Amino acid sequence: MTALAIDAVTLAGRGLRLVRRDVDSMITAAVLPVVILLMFTYVFGGALDVGTSYVTYATPGIILLTAGFGAAGTAMAVEQDMSGGMIDRLRSMPVAAGTVLVGHVVASLVKNLLTTAVVFGVAAAIGFRPTAGPLEWLGAVGVLLLFVHAITWSAVLVGVLVRSPDAASGFTFFVMFLPYVSSAFVPVATMPSWMRGFAEHQPVTPVIETVRGLLVGGTPGAPQGDALADGALLAVVWCVGLAVLFAGAATWAFARRR
Amino acid sequence: MNRTQADRGRDVVVQAVGLRKAYGRGRERLPVLDGVDLTLHRGEVLALLGPNGAGKTTTVRILSTLVAPDAGRATVAGFDLVRDAARVRERISLTGQQVAIDLKQTGRENLWMMARLAHLPRRAARARADELLEAFDLTAAAGRQVGTYSGGMRRRLDLAAGLVTRPEVMFLDEPTTGLDPRSRQAMWEVVRDVVAQGTSLFLTTQYLEEADQLADRVALIDGGRVAAEGAPAELKRRVGQVRLELELATTDDAGRVAAALGVPVPEGGADARTVRVATDGTLAGVRELLAGVERTGVAPRRWDLRTPTLDDVFLTLTGHAARTEPRPGTGEPTRHTEEVAA
């Protein structure tokens, strides 16, 4: 292995151990989305007409929200590294710059796969029935990972920039808010026109539509055929573009902050 | 770049010349280092002694490649800090004021991770981690998460983490600040062991006693400059190991006692009735001083023996109280009341 690979693997291992042992945030990351899922399904769901059972409509959005929420924990982990002594020590060693950030990103991806699986399990238990075949599943997981990857890099950027744990945790609210103004819980057509403009064009909507189209294709509201393909392309472009943007900015800010 | 001249000639491992650094922008720009010159020889322990804000940490951050100086040059382990930072990093270790270990990893995992990041092969990394755990008396706690460790244990582990590669030069920034006396003693023992194995040590501290215990040479840093330098024995000889403090009823009495003991008459202010005089701390020495006081016929209201504070050191060696900011053309020096731990 090259030195760079050793650094990256070692720091990814570190990130995973830290995430695994932070039981509190792990539970929060799974429990909160489950509560939201139950609330939307049983409290609001009855009043919302989405053309299909509400759990079928909302689950893809909830899964996305889980992923985003979990990624936000990365902002706090990075902030902790920056304000503690760890970054100073790593910088005084021949460790490739920025690999510590990569370690956090890898840990976030694994953590979010786990919490997402938990939320999916609960959704299945209360009536979510995906129609996806193996290929669709693969596609949905792939798009979700791309989304988590992009969100995580934005969380890393926040972690590098902020100067307190409180500010880092504030990022969570921003990430939690985005899916509400998308097609996650209600079709965007039901929103006022000014909000619809934002909801239709923000990155979360094409990602949700793609996951919905892949997991529960054929149900009312889920895109199919060309619409699905176009949405998927848009989702991938958004996620990759944002990841490149945020990763670049985070690495740049990391190198500058002293 | 090859080893520099300084290193070729004598066994110099750190050589800093005219280091300058300022933080902030524009009018708020605050100079922190104002031309620091330092030399550390191989196998030596140099203590940079000074109050908070004197520039100790900034000096260490520059010498350990974390920040670049605004001006000045430095070589560490034979390589130029700025041009050859990567090679410097292979030869040093930094243990900062903040503990650089993960509370949610075990002691062994922390050391293993550092050894891997220093690019030791897997098996060697494992062996080195175990060796360090043993040497730092942490074997019993090796499998526990560091969050369960005491403050002293964390510092020891932190120090161990800086030793995975047996560095040529070790930078220790205030290694015992915040530790209780027993943990401090234990830490000193550990540091002495490390030095005995041939590592050159660059230490910063605000404790006179710590510099005395560990250092071969002490550099007093004051307002971003090295104000005085010398062996601890020399320093102590000039400052006095213990001070006799006499509180008199009036300033006149204070003047008379000061004259009789041959020390400067105290200046005005709250301290004007207190006379301080250095002593070797022995019974005979103190008795002689007290006899001198008695001969003046003045009875002190109170007397006390105390170890010198950092202020005493600065007052004696630089003629003024310790300053936190570089000597500006104008402005009063900032006075420090930081106590030196006894």
Side-chain angles (χ1 to χ4, degrees):
Chain A
M1 270 201 287
T2 65
L4 182 69
I6 293 173
D7 293 347
V9 168
T10 305
L11 287 166
R14 169 201 184 228
L16 287 173
R17 279 194 295 278
L18 295 186
V19 156
R20 196 177 73 216
R21 288 169 194 173
D22 192 359
V23 181
D24 294 352
S25 82
M26 201 61 155
I27 290 173
T28 315
V31 166
L32 195 79
V34 165
V35 170
I36 293 174
L37 172 68
L38 296 177
M39 201 171 70
F40 269 93
T41 305
Y42 294 117
V43 180
F44 306 130
L48 297 168
D49 181 15
V50 291
T52 175
S53 84
Y54 192 72
V55 70
T56 301
Y57 184 83
T59 297
I62 297 277
I63 285 176
L64 210 77
L65 186 135
T66 312
F69 181 63
T74 304
M76 277 173 277
V78 172
E79 191 279 334
Q80 207 177 355
D81 271 0
M82 297 300 293
S83 61
M86 186 58 81
I87 298 294
D88 279 354
R89 168 161 279 154
L90 293 180
R91 277 180 172 154
S92 74
M93 296 172 70
V95 173
T99 38
V100 64
L101 302 181
V102 175
H104 282 298
V105 171
V106 171
S108 166
L109 289 173
V110 174
K111 169 186 164 177
N112 282 293
L113 274 182
L114 292 177
T115 51
T116 306
V118 169
V119 173
F120 180 81
V122 173
I126 62 171
F128 179 64
R129 295 287 174 266
T131 57
L135 269 183
E136 281 89 357
W137 266 109
L138 213 61
V141 171
V143 169
L144 273 173
L145 278 177
L146 281 178
F147 176 74
V148 173
H149 182 244
I151 289 274
T152 302
W153 273 113
S154 76
V156 168
L157 175 63
V158 169
V160 171
L161 291 177
V162 298
R163 306 268 160 160
S164 77
D166 290 345
S169 73
F171 176 71
T172 311
F173 291 96
F174 173 72
V175 176
M176 290 284 290
F177 165 78
L178 270 184
Y180 287 95
V181 195
S182 77
S183 62
F185 302 110
V186 293
V188 289
T190 62
M191 296 177 186
S193 62
W194 58 271
M195 190 182 276
R196 201 184 315 156
F198 175 76
E200 275 173 354
H201 296 104
Q202 68 135 316
V204 173
T205 297
V207 176
I208 288 182
E209 289 303 308
T210 303
V211 172
R212 188 176 279 147
L214 287 169
L215 287 185
V216 287
T219 64
Q224 276 180 298
D226 285 351
L228 176 58
D230 289 351
L233 181 65
L234 189 60
V236 170
V237 168
W238 261 116
C239 290
V240 172
L242 288 177
V244 168
L245 180 73
F246 287 129
T251 314
W252 184 81
F254 179 78
R256 269 165 194 263
R257 187 167 158 194
R258 283 289 185 271
Chain B
M1 205 188 108
N2 278 318
R3 302 251 158 176
T4 57
Q5 278 182 337
D7 197 43
R8 221 177 286 136
R10 288 177 60 203
D11 258 3
V12 170
V13 284
V14 176
Q15 177 112 59
V17 182
L19 292 183
R20 282 169 193 279
K21 184 76 189 173
Y23 285 108
R25 283 197 190 120
R27 211 175 289 171
E28 311 222 322
R29 196 159 172 82
L30 183 75
V32 180
L33 296 188
D34 191 24
V36 166
D37 304 326
L38 286 166
T39 305
L40 174 67
H41 297 98
R42 193 172 301 280
E44 188 184 47
V45 179
L46 173 69
L48 195 57
L49 177 67
N52 278 332
K56 298 190 300 290
T57 296
T58 303
T59 305
V60 165
R61 288 177 71 82
I62 289 175
L63 293 178
S64 57
T65 78
L66 297 188
V67 291
D70 296 339
R73 285 182 311 105
T75 56
V76 174
F79 293 97
D80 185 273
L81 260 193
V82 180
R83 276 171 297 171
D84 269 324
R87 270 185 268 192
V88 170
R89 288 183 190 128
E90 286 167 6
R91 290 163 174 81
I92 63 166
S93 92
L94 166 70
T95 302
Q97 280 181 50
Q98 283 172 306
V99 169
I101 41 183
D102 290 318
L103 300 188
K104 290 205 184 278
Q105 292 202 78
T106 67
R108 181 174 281 118
E109 284 166 346
N110 269 293
L111 291 183
W112 187 78
M113 176 180 88
M114 285 301 169
R116 286 295 285 161
L117 291 175
H119 305 144
L120 261 63
R122 276 172 185 280
R123 188 178 296 192
R126 211 168 290 279
R128 184 65 182 148
D130 285 340
E131 202 175 298
L132 285 166
L133 287 165
E134 184 70 39
F136 285 74
D137 197 18
L138 292 166
T139 305
R144 286 195 349 237
Q145 288 185 23
V146 176
T148 66
Y149 285 20
S150 71
M153 289 164 77
R154 289 180 195 188
R155 292 278 184 125
R156 291 213 301 279
L157 182 67
D158 194 31
L159 193 60
L163 289 167
V164 286
T165 52
R166 300 183 178 86
E168 273 185 62
V169 187
M170 182 162 191
F171 293 94
L172 267 184
D173 194 8
E174 302 199 10
T176 65
T177 299
L179 288 187
D180 62 67
R182 224 182 101 229
S183 305
R184 174 169 296 153
Q185 297 276 358
M187 196 71 182
W188 287 346
E189 278 309 312
V190 167
V191 170
R192 282 193 197 102
D193 286 348
V194 171
V195 173
Q197 285 167 30
T199 298
S200 312
L201 175 60
F202 189 109
L203 167 86
T204 78
T205 182
Q206 7 175 339
Y207 304 119
L208 184 59
E209 197 202 356
E210 186 158 279
D212 182 24
Q213 289 279 339
L214 297 176
D216 301 307
R217 226 149 34 78
V218 178
L220 278 188
I221 187 165
D222 175 35
R225 279 190 188 184
V226 175
E229 213 179 322
E234 160 79 355
L235 209 72
K236 278 197 315 198
R237 195 179 55 72
R238 289 163 70 182
V239 181
Q241 292 203 36
V242 184
R243 327 206 103 203
L244 174 64
E245 213 172 85
L246 299 152
E247 193 189 315
L248 288 309
T250 67
T251 50
D252 282 354
D253 286 354
R256 261 196 286 166
V257 170
L261 297 178
V263 295
V265 176
E267 285 171 25
D271 264 0
R273 286 179 283 115
T274 305
V275 174
R276 293 189 181 84
V277 52
T279 144
D280 57 7
T282 62
L283 185 59
V286 175
R287 187 186 287 143
E288 194 183 314
L289 282 176
L290 290 176
V293 175
E294 235 165 20
R295 277 196 294 275
T296 62
V298 175
R301 282 163 58 168
R302 197 179 59 82
W303 67 278
D304 203 1
L305 279 175
R306 39 184 279 271
T307 48
T309 63
L310 197 52
D311 260 0
D312 295 328
V313 177
F314 274 84
L315 220 44
T316 310
L317 296 183
T318 69
H320 57 76
R323 287 181 287 213
T324 55
E325 278 143 46
R327 50 197 82 201
T330 58
E332 284 294 297
T334 319
R335 200 171 152 72
H336 258 265
T337 51
E338 200 89 42
E339 277 289 319
V340 174

